[in-house]
Amino acid sequence: MLDERKLSVLRAIVEDYVATQEPVGSRALVERHRLGVSSATVRNDMAALEEDGFITQPHTSAGRIPTDKGYRLFVDRLATVRALSAAERRAIETFLEGAVDVDDVVQRSVRMLAQLTHQVAIVQYPSLTRSTVRHIELVPLDGARLLLVLISSSGRVDQRVVDLGTPPSEQLVADLRSRVATLCVGQKLSDAALGLAELIGTFTDEDRPVVTAVVTTLAEAFSDEKSDERVAVGGTANLARFGSDFDTAIRPVLEALEEHVVLLKLLGEASTPSMLTVRIGSEVPYHDLSTTSVVASGYGAPGESLATLGVVGPTRMDYPGTMAAVRAVARYVGRTLSTS
Amino acid sequence: MLDERKLSVLRAIVEDYVATQEPVGSRALVERHRLGVSSATVRNDMAALEEDGFITQPHTSAGRIPTDKGYRLFVDRLATVRALSAAERRAIETFLEGAVDVDDVVQRSVRMLAQLTHQVAIVQYPSLTRSTVRHIELVPLDGARLLLVLISSSGRVDQRVVDLGTPPSEQLVADLRSRVATLCVGQKLSDAALGLAELIGTFTDEDRPVVTAVVTTLAEAFSDEKSDERVAVGGTANLARFGSDFDTAIRPVLEALEEHVVLLKLLGEASTPSMLTVRIGSEVPYHDLSTTSVVASGYGAPGESLATLGVVGPTRMDYPGTMAAVRAVARYVGRTLSTS
DNA sequence: GACTGGCACTCAGGCATGTGGAGTGCCAAA
DNA sequence: TTTGGCACTCCACATGCCTGAGTGCCAGTC
């Protein structure tokens, strides 16, 4: 039903439409691509493709534009992955190398990604719950307060102030510090949770409130999803690509970008690193964003992903180029974070 | 030259234009405001106001719109400060009270401000260099590295990793910690700088590299402007108010919003808290933003301001309302931060 | 001298009309 | 199965007209 030539025609339509933003007709197609057949033949193929729902025409006597289904087929079967140029790769590398801490890595990635793809870029901060603890520290503050500092394997540093009620003895703090460290370092926090809970029972009744407060804070503040919700957004000036009508095209995207929860859902679950997720138009889980596509990838150490990054753009985007850029940036970010 | 009635006419024009976004004519003016004179008289006044550069007409036979100079006069002499409603004030208060840390306060303020003004809101994080040190801590990490934690009076917690070259003795760390703390706590970092520099000389040659590294990091990482550059932006969906032409109206603003340096310059120097700065159109120091206005205010303890917050919007904005909202939020944020 | 009513003039924006061109669908012939 | 040709459709653009809002000015009135 879909012979080789029809697929070529679809590919040609997608490529031309992405390039020109205008419905593409049969005549223009045979002129720009060496299809080896006449425009009449292409017209027949187009009719078939439209029948199958891969393309559509905005109105009679207009050219064709791809449907979401058409883009999907294009991405799955027709796109030839464009490799990044050496210059681009070098640019990513040197730009990311200049980062001084995790915050900086994320900022720079977002900029890089926006610049490479000319789309809106989103980078999620490395997940706390999914990385292991490198160092844990308890610092007594003035009064009955304790500063809890957590350094995770991705280099991220988080802190939280714990209110204890009563000032703890130096002895207790030191003891607690070493035992918590023994339990947690090298582990994921979630894996250490059980051990931490048991820890409480091993202290005297007197010390128990303090221990409980610390353990609870650890569990609550650092383990729940809240601390994984941080994201950076960049390249919003590229929203122009969505179209010129602010209310229907641009505003929904801007609103989504302000809702971090929505953003995280858009990026989706981080699968294994350098595994690309592409959602096209109606596949995006928000109705207002039905004319946008999302290209995302997990990033992190080769084994397991730390978080997700990606771009959102109009459905009529350059998928091969965007996918290549997202994949490349994800790879470099993962590398940068695991060696720092 | 500018009698009372002409000023009333100007005020009426500004108010109507802001409300309707359309050039306002003499007829409509006398209908909507009880000026007590006929439209012909208003026409004469308008001619005079135009002569003086306070208003202009987009084309012959159109109504008048205020010029930047007109808005300026309006803001300086004509605007009656609209007080926030009790409900609005209560909303700010309860919303900000729910914040758990400084980050949260800033996030919430930005949202609040955007929602109140229907403009794009910008909040600068409390300045490190301008607040005093509440607590300072040195935490030995694995290897020859030290974690430097700084808690400032605004509740902000910052940390930096120092690379020492050689692992320091526990004794040295403890010694250094207490002496640095003595020097810094209760002071601004900049005021303690001299004492810190002198501190180096009081250690033995052997210890000096370590001390130098710590002191330098303190001075460099926490004292320069870099750490004051953090800002939060919100309400970008309100960009619609700038107009419908993306390229000329919206894109320049989006681009400015991505450049933190530009943003900080827009907010301007924080003067004393609850002192409002209003820049109108051409008064804004960026040429691309000549159709935007900025309303900003410092915030902080009554004495001296910690940082700045504000909104950017089109020159045709509701100045009294915006100014009231900015002032109110600044006041509450200052209060919230100084009591936490 | 200040205000007012009246009048002629200007011009943007909306609406109807007309036209060119790009593109399609279909059919008969190769 | 492909192709050239032809009739048909419909958008985009240009043209022209008209209306209404608004102005500037002037002569008259208080």
Side-chain angles (χ1 to χ4, degrees):
Chain A
M1 188 216 287
L2 277 184
D3 57 22
E4 202 50 47
R5 197 188 56 220
K6 289 200 184 67
L7 292 178
S8 300
V9 169
L10 177 57
R11 169 165 45 219
I13 291 176
V14 170
E15 284 170 0
D16 276 21
Y17 182 59
V18 164
T20 66
Q21 313 268 51
E22 272 170 15
V24 16
S26 54
R27 180 197 190 76
L29 257 200
V30 290
E31 276 170 8
R32 301 191 28 150
H33 302 75
R34 40 190 85 222
L35 293 172
V37 291
S38 80
S39 67
T41 310
V42 171
R43 279 205 286 284
N44 292 330
D45 290 349
M46 282 176 155
L49 285 169
E50 180 159 18
E51 176 86 9
D52 292 343
F54 294 115
I55 56 179
T56 185
Q57 23 184 354
H59 56 83
T60 346
S61 91
R64 305 306 217 288
I65 62 177
T67 60
D68 291 351
K69 192 179 168 192
Y71 285 122
R72 170 50 63 198
L73 185 62
F74 175 81
V75 167
D76 287 347
R77 297 193 39 197
L78 303 171
T80 56
V81 223
R82 185 177 70 85
L84 289 182
S85 73
E88 284 172 315
R89 254 181 280 127
R90 204 149 1 97
I92 302 178
E93 207 158 354
T94 56
F95 193 60
L96 286 188
E97 263 172 14
V100 300
D101 62 5
V102 179
D103 235 61
D104 208 16
V105 171
V106 171
Q107 301 296 2
R108 283 166 183 252
S109 314
V110 139
R111 277 187 179 239
M112 195 73 235
L113 202 49
Q115 196 184 322
L116 283 172
T117 61
H118 306 289
Q119 314 275 7
V120 180
I122 311 171
V123 178
Q124 184 185 6
Y125 278 73
S127 161
L128 256 187
T129 61
R130 267 179 277 166
S131 52
T132 58
V133 178
R134 185 192 283 171
H135 189 96
I136 203 163
E137 190 62 45
L138 301 178
V139 180
L141 298 181
D142 48 340
R145 300 196 300 176
L146 216 53
L147 182 71
L148 199 55
V149 181
L150 190 84
I151 306 182
S152 49
S153 55
S154 58
R156 180 170 156 177
V157 184
D158 283 73
Q159 72 274 317
R160 197 75 40 142
V161 175
V162 192
D163 240 311
L164 298 176
T166 55
S169 70
E170 243 178 72
Q171 179 57 43
L172 172 59
V173 171
D175 192 20
L176 189 53
R177 174 191 302 137
S178 80
R179 293 176 64 182
V180 168
T182 318
L183 274 172
C184 296
V185 169
Q187 306 274 324
K188 287 188 203 173
L189 261 186
S190 51
D191 292 344
L194 195 65
L196 282 172
E198 284 171 358
L199 192 64
I200 299 177
T202 67
F203 281 83
T204 64
D205 284 354
E206 191 189 352
D207 291 341
R208 209 162 292 161
V210 171
V211 179
T212 310
V214 170
V215 170
T216 323
T217 306
L218 253 179
E220 276 182 9
F222 294 131
S223 304
D224 67 359
E225 308 84 36
K226 260 236 143 177
S227 54
D228 283 351
E229 273 181 11
R230 292 189 65 194
V231 285
V233 173
T236 45
N238 296 325
L239 279 169
R241 306 192 156 249
F242 278 82
S244 48
D245 183 35
F246 191 93
D247 275 333
T248 66
I250 299 178
R251 184 204 297 263
V253 185
L254 273 178
E255 279 170 0
L257 291 178
E258 296 226 331
E259 287 299 334
H260 288 187
V261 190
V262 174
L263 279 189
L264 291 172
K265 189 145 179 214
L266 278 188
L267 287 179
E269 283 305 308
S271 43
T272 50
S274 70
M275 178 67 176
L276 284 177
T277 313
V278 181
R279 298 208 198 149
I280 299 167
S282 48
E283 301 167 10
V284 172
Y286 288 90
H287 189 257
D288 282 351
L289 301 181
S290 57
T291 63
T292 73
S293 288
V294 180
V295 177
S297 167
Y299 71 83
E304 203 183 353
S305 79
L306 278 174
T308 315
L309 57 77
V311 307
V312 305
T315 47
R316 59 164 122 66
M317 68 161 74
D318 167 23
Y319 289 96
T322 305
M323 290 165 73
V326 169
R327 174 150 59 198
V329 172
R331 203 168 285 167
Y332 281 111
V333 172
R335 202 175 299 168
T336 307
L337 285 182
S338 58
T339 61
S340 73
Chain B
M1 187 214 286
L2 276 183
D3 56 23
E4 201 50 47
R5 197 188 54 220
K6 288 201 185 64
L7 293 177
S8 300
V9 169
L10 177 58
R11 170 166 42 219
I13 291 175
V14 171
E15 284 170 0
D16 276 22
Y17 182 61
V18 165
T20 66
Q21 314 268 51
E22 270 170 16
V24 14
S26 54
R27 182 197 188 75
L29 257 200
V30 290
E31 275 169 9
R32 301 190 28 151
H33 303 76
R34 39 189 86 225
L35 292 173
V37 292
S38 81
S39 69
T41 309
V42 171
R43 279 204 286 283
N44 291 331
D45 289 350
M46 282 176 156
L49 285 170
E50 180 159 18
E51 178 85 12
D52 291 343
F54 294 114
I55 55 179
T56 183
Q57 26 183 356
H59 56 84
T60 347
S61 89
R64 304 307 216 288
I65 62 177
T67 60
D68 291 351
K69 192 178 168 192
Y71 286 122
R72 170 50 63 197
L73 185 62
F74 175 81
V75 167
D76 287 347
R77 297 193 40 196
L78 304 171
T80 57
V81 221
R82 184 177 71 83
L84 289 185
S85 72
E88 283 173 316
R89 253 181 282 127
R90 204 150 359 99
I92 302 178
E93 207 158 354
T94 56
F95 193 60
L96 286 188
E97 262 172 15
V100 299
D101 61 5
V102 179
D103 235 61
D104 207 16
V105 171
V106 172
Q107 301 295 0
R108 282 166 183 253
S109 315
V110 132
R111 277 187 180 241
M112 195 74 236
L113 202 49
Q115 196 185 321
L116 283 172
T117 61
H118 305 291
Q119 313 275 8
V120 180
I122 311 171
V123 177
Q124 183 184 7
Y125 278 74
S127 162
L128 256 188
T129 62
R130 266 178 277 166
S131 51
T132 58
V133 177
R134 186 190 284 171
H135 189 95
I136 202 163
E137 189 61 44
L138 302 179
V139 181
L141 299 181
D142 48 342
R145 300 196 300 176
L146 217 55
L147 182 72
L148 199 56
V149 181
L150 191 85
I151 307 183
S152 49
S153 55
S154 57
R156 180 170 155 175
V157 185
D158 283 74
Q159 72 274 317
R160 196 76 38 144
V161 175
V162 193
D163 240 312
L164 298 176
T166 55
S169 71
E170 244 179 71
Q171 179 57 43
L172 173 58
V173 172
D175 192 21
L176 188 53
R177 172 191 303 136
S178 80
R179 291 176 65 182
V180 169
T182 319
L183 273 172
C184 294
V185 170
Q187 306 274 325
K188 286 188 204 174
L189 261 186
S190 52
D191 293 344
L194 195 64
L196 282 173
E198 284 172 358
L199 192 64
I200 299 178
T202 67
F203 282 82
T204 65
D205 283 356
E206 191 189 355
D207 292 340
R208 209 163 288 162
V210 170
V211 178
T212 310
V214 170
V215 168
T216 321
T217 305
L218 253 180
E220 277 183 9
F222 294 131
S223 305
D224 68 358
E225 308 85 35
K226 259 235 142 177
S227 54
D228 284 350
E229 272 182 11
R230 293 189 66 194
V231 285
V233 172
T236 45
N238 296 326
L239 279 169
R241 305 193 157 250
F242 278 82
S244 48
D245 184 36
F246 191 93
D247 275 332
T248 66
I250 298 179
R251 183 205 295 266
V253 185
L254 273 179
E255 278 169 0
L257 291 177
E258 296 226 331
E259 286 298 335
H260 289 186
V261 190
V262 174
L263 279 189
L264 291 173
K265 188 146 180 213
L266 279 187
L267 287 179
E269 282 306 306
S271 43
T272 50
S274 70
M275 178 66 178
L276 284 178
T277 312
V278 181
R279 299 207 198 150
I280 299 168
S282 48
E283 300 167 12
V284 172
Y286 288 89
H287 189 256
D288 282 351
L289 301 181
S290 56
T291 62
T292 73
S293 288
V294 180
V295 177
S297 167
Y299 70 84
E304 201 181 354
S305 78
L306 279 174
T308 315
L309 56 76
V311 306
V312 305
T315 46
R316 59 164 122 66
M317 69 160 74
D318 167 23
Y319 290 96
T322 305
M323 289 165 73
V326 169
R327 174 149 60 198
V329 172
R331 202 168 285 168
Y332 282 110
V333 171
R335 202 174 301 168
T336 308
L337 285 182
S338 57
T339 61
S340 72

